[in-house]
């Protein structure tokens, strides 16, 4: 269950740090998730200390860490340092969209709309090189569309591309209309319901602070692993009645999430030894079905997720060696 109080976030951060001590190879993603929980707990100085610890080594994603650190610093009075870090991230010209977007969202959150738009436009010029864009770059274009809408700037080609990429029921122009905020004060139930629908669409489109670096992931047990799991823990047969049903459920769940507007979807491959080790770290039995989504989230936080959906001509995620279009993509 996602923690909802500062104390619960602090407890979750402590758990993640203990897990990082057990799995030093996964230290960076676990520290990043712990820092996000510390920010939500209100302990921003401790979060900064975690970012600094990662940066003092040789992190895999230093620009991501720097952008997150800048966002955190600005929130507790270190505006000048945050600005300097953001300028450094921009000068480094990341080849991944996420540091750009976090830097721009930090500027946007502090009413620096022009600077946010400039940052996002620089990123788009660097990263938008084809019609097939990674999810992070698509998200960046959506954010750029919102900022430009707030600045009352006319649509350009990248805004039009964001419109085409958006799959929600509410068009981006309407979703990002600053005037719609006034409808929150309406006493008309129909207007309020319409605004609730818009907000639900927006929440489904954009990542929360915790989900920024990590995908929403679904577990995939390869058939030999699933056989071993059910032989050892028959209590889980209710979750996985057959291997074929397991594969069908994965594709159906991911499509349902995608239709609801959930971004950054992925699949993580499970193994019995790692699941048993995770259960031990949580002081519970592997037969506890409630542990399965937590295991998926932890694997995703360690960078083990494969993005879904694959391209139509790529090999299917299920391991059949057929293309996705011929296999689960055709269902």
């Amino acid at each position: 269950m996602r923690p909802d109080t500062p104390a619960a976030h602090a407890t979750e951060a402590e758990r993640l740090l203990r897990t990082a001590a057990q799995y030093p190879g996964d230290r960076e993603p676990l520290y990043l998730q712990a820092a996000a929980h510390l920010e939500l707990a209100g302990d921003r100085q401790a979060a900064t200390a975690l970012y600094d610890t990662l940066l003092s080594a040789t992190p895999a994603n230093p620009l991501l860490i720097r952008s997150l650190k800048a966002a955190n610093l600005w929130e507790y009075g270190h505006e000048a340092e945050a600005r300097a870090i953001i300028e450094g991230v921009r000068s480094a010209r990341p080849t991944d969209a996420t540091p750009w977007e976090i830097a721009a969202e930090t500027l946007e959150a502090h009413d620096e709309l022009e600077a946010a738009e400039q940052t996002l436009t620089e990123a788009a010029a660097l990263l938008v090189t084809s019609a097939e864009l990674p999810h992070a770059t698509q998200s960046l274009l959506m954010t750029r569309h919102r900022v430009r809408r707030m600045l009352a700037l006319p649509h350009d080609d990248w805004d039009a591309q964001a419109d085409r990429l958006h799959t929600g029921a509410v068009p981006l122009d309407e979703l990002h209309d600053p005037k719609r905020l006034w409808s929150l004060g309406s006493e008309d139930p129909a207007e309020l319901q319409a605004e609730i629908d818009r907000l639900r669409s927006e929440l489904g489109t954009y990542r929360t602070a915790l989900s920024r670096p990590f995908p929403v992931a679904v577990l995939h047990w390869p058939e030999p692993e699933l056989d071993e799991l059910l032989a050892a823990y028959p209590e889980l047969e209710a979750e996985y009645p057959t291997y074929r049903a397991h594969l069908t459920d994965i594709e159906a769940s991911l499509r349902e999430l995608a239709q609801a507007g959930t971004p950054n979807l992925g699949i993580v491959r499970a193994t019995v030894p790692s699941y048993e080790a995770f259960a031990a770290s949580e002081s519970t039995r592997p037969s506890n079905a409630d542990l399965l989504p937590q295991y998926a989230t932890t694997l995703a936080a360690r960078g083990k997720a494969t993005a879904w959906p694959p391209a139509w001509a790529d090999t299917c995620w299920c391991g059949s060696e057929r293309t996705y279009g011929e296999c689960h993509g055709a269902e």
Side-chain angles (χ1 to χ4, degrees), residues 226-254:
L226 185 61
D227 290 343
E228 182 180 346
L229 177 77
L230 296 179
Y233 309 105
E235 301 93 333
L236 296 177
E237 287 182 359
E239 301 291 325
Y240 307 112
T242 66
Y243 181 64
R244 183 178 180 84
H246 173 47
L247 298 183
T248 300
D249 285 347
I250 291 172
E251 184 71 22
S253 296
L254 288 167

Short mmCIF file of all heavy atoms in Angstrom, two decimals, residues 226-254:
data_model
loop_
_atom_site.label_atom_id
_atom_site.label_comp_id
_atom_site.label_asym_id
_atom_site.label_seq_id
_atom_site.Cartn_x
_atom_site.Cartn_y
_atom_site.Cartn_z
N LEU A 226 7.35 -20.09 -13.19
CA LEU A 226 6.00 -20.18 -12.65
C LEU A 226 5.72 -21.59 -12.12
O LEU A 226 5.11 -21.76 -11.05
CB LEU A 226 4.97 -19.80 -13.70
CG LEU A 226 3.52 -19.73 -13.22
CD1 LEU A 226 3.35 -18.68 -12.13
CD2 LEU A 226 2.57 -19.43 -14.38
N ASP A 227 6.18 -22.61 -12.87
CA ASP A 227 6.00 -23.99 -12.39
C ASP A 227 6.68 -24.20 -11.05
O ASP A 227 6.12 -24.82 -10.13
CB ASP A 227 6.56 -24.97 -13.43
CG ASP A 227 5.71 -25.02 -14.70
OD1 ASP A 227 4.56 -24.56 -14.67
OD2 ASP A 227 6.23 -25.51 -15.72
N GLU A 228 7.90 -23.67 -10.93
CA GLU A 228 8.64 -23.81 -9.67
C GLU A 228 7.95 -23.05 -8.54
O GLU A 228 7.86 -23.55 -7.40
CB GLU A 228 10.07 -23.29 -9.87
CG GLU A 228 10.94 -23.44 -8.63
CD GLU A 228 12.36 -22.92 -8.84
OE1 GLU A 228 12.75 -22.70 -10.02
OE2 GLU A 228 13.07 -22.72 -7.83
N LEU A 229 7.45 -21.85 -8.86
CA LEU A 229 6.77 -21.05 -7.85
C LEU A 229 5.54 -21.78 -7.30
O LEU A 229 5.34 -21.86 -6.07
CB LEU A 229 6.35 -19.71 -8.45
CG LEU A 229 5.57 -18.77 -7.53
CD1 LEU A 229 6.52 -18.10 -6.53
CD2 LEU A 229 4.82 -17.71 -8.35
N LEU A 230 4.71 -22.31 -8.19
CA LEU A 230 3.47 -22.94 -7.75
C LEU A 230 3.72 -24.28 -7.07
O LEU A 230 2.95 -24.68 -6.20
CB LEU A 230 2.53 -23.11 -8.95
CG LEU A 230 2.07 -21.80 -9.60
CD1 LEU A 230 1.17 -22.08 -10.79
CD2 LEU A 230 1.37 -20.90 -8.59
N ALA A 231 4.81 -24.97 -7.46
CA ALA A 231 5.15 -26.20 -6.77
C ALA A 231 5.56 -25.93 -5.33
O ALA A 231 5.23 -26.68 -4.42
CB ALA A 231 6.29 -26.92 -7.52
N ALA A 232 6.27 -24.81 -5.13
CA ALA A 232 6.73 -24.46 -3.78
C ALA A 232 5.65 -23.76 -2.96
O ALA A 232 5.58 -23.94 -1.74
CB ALA A 232 7.97 -23.58 -3.88
N TYR A 233 4.79 -23.00 -3.64
CA TYR A 233 3.80 -22.19 -2.92
C TYR A 233 2.44 -22.34 -3.61
O TYR A 233 1.97 -21.43 -4.33
CB TYR A 233 4.23 -20.72 -2.88
CG TYR A 233 5.64 -20.55 -2.39
CD1 TYR A 233 6.67 -20.25 -3.29
CD2 TYR A 233 5.95 -20.74 -1.05
CE1 TYR A 233 7.98 -20.13 -2.85
CE2 TYR A 233 7.26 -20.61 -0.60
CZ TYR A 233 8.28 -20.31 -1.51
OH TYR A 233 9.57 -20.20 -1.06
N PRO A 234 1.79 -23.47 -3.43
CA PRO A 234 0.50 -23.71 -4.12
C PRO A 234 -0.58 -22.71 -3.75
O PRO A 234 -1.58 -22.59 -4.47
CB PRO A 234 0.13 -25.13 -3.69
CG PRO A 234 0.96 -25.40 -2.46
CD PRO A 234 2.21 -24.61 -2.62
N GLU A 235 -0.38 -21.97 -2.66
CA GLU A 235 -1.36 -20.95 -2.29
C GLU A 235 -1.52 -19.88 -3.37
O GLU A 235 -2.53 -19.18 -3.42
CB GLU A 235 -0.95 -20.28 -0.96
CG GLU A 235 -0.83 -21.23 0.22
CD GLU A 235 0.59 -21.75 0.40
OE1 GLU A 235 1.34 -21.82 -0.61
OE2 GLU A 235 0.94 -22.08 1.54
N LEU A 236 -0.51 -19.75 -4.23
CA LEU A 236 -0.54 -18.72 -5.26
C LEU A 236 -1.25 -19.16 -6.54
O LEU A 236 -1.30 -18.40 -7.51
CB LEU A 236 0.88 -18.26 -5.59
CG LEU A 236 1.64 -17.58 -4.44
CD1 LEU A 236 3.06 -17.24 -4.88
CD2 LEU A 236 0.91 -16.32 -3.99
N GLU A 237 -1.79 -20.38 -6.55
CA GLU A 237 -2.47 -20.87 -7.76
C GLU A 237 -3.69 -20.01 -8.10
O GLU A 237 -4.07 -19.90 -9.27
CB GLU A 237 -2.88 -22.32 -7.59
CG GLU A 237 -1.69 -23.29 -7.65
CD GLU A 237 -2.11 -24.73 -7.52
OE1 GLU A 237 -3.33 -24.98 -7.35
OE2 GLU A 237 -1.23 -25.61 -7.56
N ALA A 238 -4.29 -19.39 -7.10
CA ALA A 238 -5.44 -18.52 -7.38
C ALA A 238 -5.02 -17.30 -8.20
O ALA A 238 -5.80 -16.77 -8.99
CB ALA A 238 -6.09 -18.06 -6.07
N GLU A 239 -3.76 -16.86 -8.02
CA GLU A 239 -3.24 -15.74 -8.79
C GLU A 239 -2.85 -16.16 -10.19
O GLU A 239 -2.95 -15.36 -11.14
CB GLU A 239 -2.01 -15.13 -8.08
CG GLU A 239 -2.26 -14.63 -6.68
CD GLU A 239 -3.14 -13.40 -6.67
OE1 GLU A 239 -3.02 -12.57 -7.60
OE2 GLU A 239 -3.96 -13.27 -5.74
N TYR A 240 -2.37 -17.40 -10.34
CA TYR A 240 -1.84 -17.88 -11.62
C TYR A 240 -2.41 -19.27 -11.92
O TYR A 240 -1.74 -20.29 -11.74
CB TYR A 240 -0.32 -17.96 -11.56
CG TYR A 240 0.36 -16.69 -11.11
CD1 TYR A 240 1.03 -16.62 -9.89
CD2 TYR A 240 0.34 -15.55 -11.91
CE1 TYR A 240 1.67 -15.46 -9.49
CE2 TYR A 240 0.96 -14.38 -11.51
CZ TYR A 240 1.63 -14.33 -10.29
OH TYR A 240 2.26 -13.18 -9.90
N PRO A 241 -3.67 -19.35 -12.38
CA PRO A 241 -4.28 -20.66 -12.62
C PRO A 241 -3.56 -21.46 -13.71
O PRO A 241 -3.40 -22.68 -13.58
CB PRO A 241 -5.71 -20.32 -13.03
CG PRO A 241 -5.69 -18.88 -13.42
CD PRO A 241 -4.62 -18.25 -12.61
N THR A 242 -3.12 -20.80 -14.79
CA THR A 242 -2.35 -21.47 -15.84
C THR A 242 -1.35 -20.46 -16.40
O THR A 242 -1.52 -19.24 -16.25
CB THR A 242 -3.23 -21.95 -17.01
OG1 THR A 242 -3.79 -20.81 -17.69
CG2 THR A 242 -4.34 -22.87 -16.52
N TYR A 243 -0.33 -20.96 -17.08
CA TYR A 243 0.66 -20.06 -17.68
C TYR A 243 0.02 -19.23 -18.79
O TYR A 243 0.28 -18.04 -18.90
CB TYR A 243 1.84 -20.86 -18.22
CG TYR A 243 2.91 -19.99 -18.84
CD1 TYR A 243 3.61 -19.07 -18.06
CD2 TYR A 243 3.21 -20.07 -20.20
CE1 TYR A 243 4.59 -18.26 -18.62
CE2 TYR A 243 4.19 -19.26 -20.77
CZ TYR A 243 4.87 -18.36 -19.97
OH TYR A 243 5.84 -17.56 -20.53
N ARG A 244 -0.81 -19.84 -19.59
CA ARG A 244 -1.47 -19.11 -20.68
C ARG A 244 -2.34 -17.98 -20.12
O ARG A 244 -2.34 -16.87 -20.65
CB ARG A 244 -2.32 -20.07 -21.52
CG ARG A 244 -2.97 -19.41 -22.73
CD ARG A 244 -3.76 -20.42 -23.56
NE ARG A 244 -4.38 -19.78 -24.71
CZ ARG A 244 -3.77 -19.55 -25.85
NH1 ARG A 244 -2.50 -19.90 -26.00
NH2 ARG A 244 -4.40 -18.97 -26.85
N ALA A 245 -3.06 -18.27 -19.04
CA ALA A 245 -3.89 -17.23 -18.42
C ALA A 245 -3.02 -16.11 -17.86
O ALA A 245 -3.39 -14.93 -17.92
CB ALA A 245 -4.74 -17.83 -17.32
N HIS A 246 -1.86 -16.48 -17.34
CA HIS A 246 -0.92 -15.49 -16.81
C HIS A 246 -0.50 -14.51 -17.91
O HIS A 246 -0.53 -13.29 -17.72
CB HIS A 246 0.29 -16.22 -16.23
CG HIS A 246 1.41 -15.34 -15.80
ND1 HIS A 246 1.24 -14.20 -15.04
CD2 HIS A 246 2.76 -15.43 -16.05
CE1 HIS A 246 2.41 -13.64 -14.83
NE2 HIS A 246 3.34 -14.35 -15.43
N LEU A 247 -0.13 -15.03 -19.08
CA LEU A 247 0.28 -14.17 -20.18
C LEU A 247 -0.88 -13.28 -20.65
O LEU A 247 -0.69 -12.09 -20.91
CB LEU A 247 0.79 -15.01 -21.35
CG LEU A 247 2.03 -15.87 -21.10
CD1 LEU A 247 2.44 -16.59 -22.38
CD2 LEU A 247 3.19 -15.04 -20.56
N THR A 248 -2.06 -13.86 -20.75
CA THR A 248 -3.23 -13.08 -21.17
C THR A 248 -3.53 -11.96 -20.18
O THR A 248 -3.84 -10.83 -20.58
CB THR A 248 -4.45 -14.01 -21.31
OG1 THR A 248 -4.17 -15.02 -22.29
CG2 THR A 248 -5.69 -13.23 -21.73
N ASP A 249 -3.41 -12.26 -18.90
CA ASP A 249 -3.68 -11.26 -17.86
C ASP A 249 -2.68 -10.11 -17.94
O ASP A 249 -3.04 -8.94 -17.70
CB ASP A 249 -3.63 -11.89 -16.47
CG ASP A 249 -4.86 -12.73 -16.17
OD1 ASP A 249 -5.84 -12.63 -16.93
OD2 ASP A 249 -4.81 -13.51 -15.20
N ILE A 250 -1.41 -10.42 -18.24
CA ILE A 250 -0.40 -9.37 -18.34
C ILE A 250 -0.77 -8.38 -19.43
O ILE A 250 -0.82 -7.16 -19.21
CB ILE A 250 0.99 -9.98 -18.62
CG1 ILE A 250 1.50 -10.76 -17.40
CG2 ILE A 250 2.00 -8.89 -19.01
CD1 ILE A 250 2.76 -11.54 -17.66
N GLU A 251 -1.04 -8.90 -20.62
CA GLU A 251 -1.36 -8.01 -21.75
C GLU A 251 -2.65 -7.23 -21.47
O GLU A 251 -2.72 -6.02 -21.73
CB GLU A 251 -1.51 -8.84 -23.03
CG GLU A 251 -1.75 -8.01 -24.28
CD GLU A 251 -0.53 -7.23 -24.74
OE1 GLU A 251 0.60 -7.59 -24.38
OE2 GLU A 251 -0.73 -6.23 -25.47
N ALA A 252 -3.66 -7.91 -20.91
CA ALA A 252 -4.93 -7.24 -20.63
C ALA A 252 -4.75 -6.14 -19.58
O ALA A 252 -5.30 -5.04 -19.72
CB ALA A 252 -5.97 -8.26 -20.17
N SER A 253 -3.96 -6.42 -18.54
CA SER A 253 -3.74 -5.42 -17.49
C SER A 253 -3.03 -4.20 -18.03
O SER A 253 -3.39 -3.05 -17.72
CB SER A 253 -2.92 -6.04 -16.35
OG SER A 253 -3.63 -7.10 -15.74
N LEU A 254 -2.01 -4.43 -18.86
CA LEU A 254 -1.26 -3.31 -19.40
C LEU A 254 -2.11 -2.47 -20.37
O LEU A 254 -2.03 -1.25 -20.37
CB LEU A 254 0.00 -3.82 -20.10
CG LEU A 254 1.07 -4.34 -19.13
CD1 LEU A 254 2.14 -5.14 -19.89
CD2 LEU A 254 1.71 -3.20 -18.36
#
